[in-house]
Amino acid sequence: RRLLLNSGPFSLAPNDTNEIVVAVVTGMGADRLSSVSVLKFNDQFAQNTFDALFVVPVVPSPNLIVAQLDRNIVLDWGWDPQTIDKSENKVSNPGGYVFEGYNVYQIPSLGSDINQGKRLATYDLINSYSVLLDFTFDQASGLIITKPVQFGSNEGVEHVYKFSADALNDKPALNNGQDYYLAVTAYYRSTTPGFLPQVLESSPSRARVTPQKPVPGTQYHATAGDAISATHSAGTAEGSVSVQVVDPSRLTGDTYRVTFTGTGAAKTYNILDVTTGKTLFFGGRNYGTDWG
């Protein structure tokens, strides 16, 4: 295949140089006409990359840790405040991508693509967006169509998922000693009109997990999901604190205190481990859920 491309004219003084950027774009559809449509669609990504000076959007992935319990697995991606802030409160450019939600998948193997697995849960922001649409290539028709790519329900963001049933093999319980493969992603929507893709999903944080009974002699004093009572010991704040066990193997037995400082819009909260004297969380403004 040969291609002759003319470009210009250019006005150049002696010894001047001019830089020319060339992109080779292909498209394969169901036939020759749909292949042209796919080619033009793919060309938009090349043009976006050029317009952004070859900077491509990169969105953060969840920072995942797991608890391997008796016939249960707990996925926790809310333990790191810095990653949460970077994921949920920052804008990623080019494209002006803002956070919208998280997906949890069970996949056949650790290296499997998430499209080969099964989506177990979606946790998204409560806002005017739920199911998100984007342009994509449809294999069946060979055309570029608009279709749903993310399936939010506006029920709120969570940072923990309890895995207790094998969805890939349609089994209602997990087997101790058997390996399972899970992944968590964050997804974002573009706020720049016409930018492609309109919806961007992060690289998956993957985990190979094995349900198991505690080491002999180890005793947990709570189970995942248990509530721990908190007492309003001093002050006039109207806020309340609710505590839920995420991973019983990480319970310390320490005593913790939540304090508030400042007034009005400048009011922040801190979480202190009274037993060790260490401040675990400082300067919180987003009154909601923090994991420790």
Side-chain angles (χ1 to χ4, degrees), residues 15 40 50 63 66 69 94 103 110 112 117 120 129-130 145 153 174 177 185 197 214 242-243 248 278:
N15 298 320
K40 291 180 178 180
F50 175 78
N63 193 355
V66 300
L69 307 173
N103 287 319
L110 194 60
S112 297
L120 303 178
Y129 300 91
S130 52
I145 62 174
S153 56
L174 304 181
T185 64
S242 60
V243 182
K278 181 180 179 181

Side-chain angles (χ1 to χ4, degrees), residues 1-5:
R1 293 174 176 84
R2 292 179 175 87
L3 174 69
L4 175 64
L5 176 67

Side-chain angles (χ1 to χ4, degrees), residues 204-278:
S205 293
R206 308 168 188 267
R208 178 174 60 190
V209 298
T210 310
Q212 54 195 277
K213 291 185 176 182
V215 176
T218 301
Q219 182 178 1
Y220 298 146
H221 299 285
T223 59
D226 282 357
I228 298 177
S229 61
T231 302
H232 187 180
S233 58
T236 59
E238 296 180 354
S240 61
V241 177
S242 60
V243 182
Q244 190 177 54
V245 175
V246 174
D247 179 0
S249 68
R250 289 157 53 199
L251 292 177
T252 63
D254 292 355
T255 299
Y256 299 86
R257 178 182 298 140
V258 179
T259 60
F260 295 86
T261 58
T263 59
K267 181 176 288 185
T268 62
Y269 66 93
N270 312 312
I271 302 177
L272 171 71
D273 185 334
V274 178
T275 304
T276 64
K278 181 180 179 181

Side-chain angles (χ1 to χ4, degrees), residues 35-51:
S35 292
V36 174
S37 298
V38 176
L39 171 65
K40 291 180 178 180
F41 178 68
N42 293 340
D43 180 64
Q44 295 181 62
F45 293 91
Q47 187 65 52
N48 283 341
T49 303
F50 175 78
D51 293 342

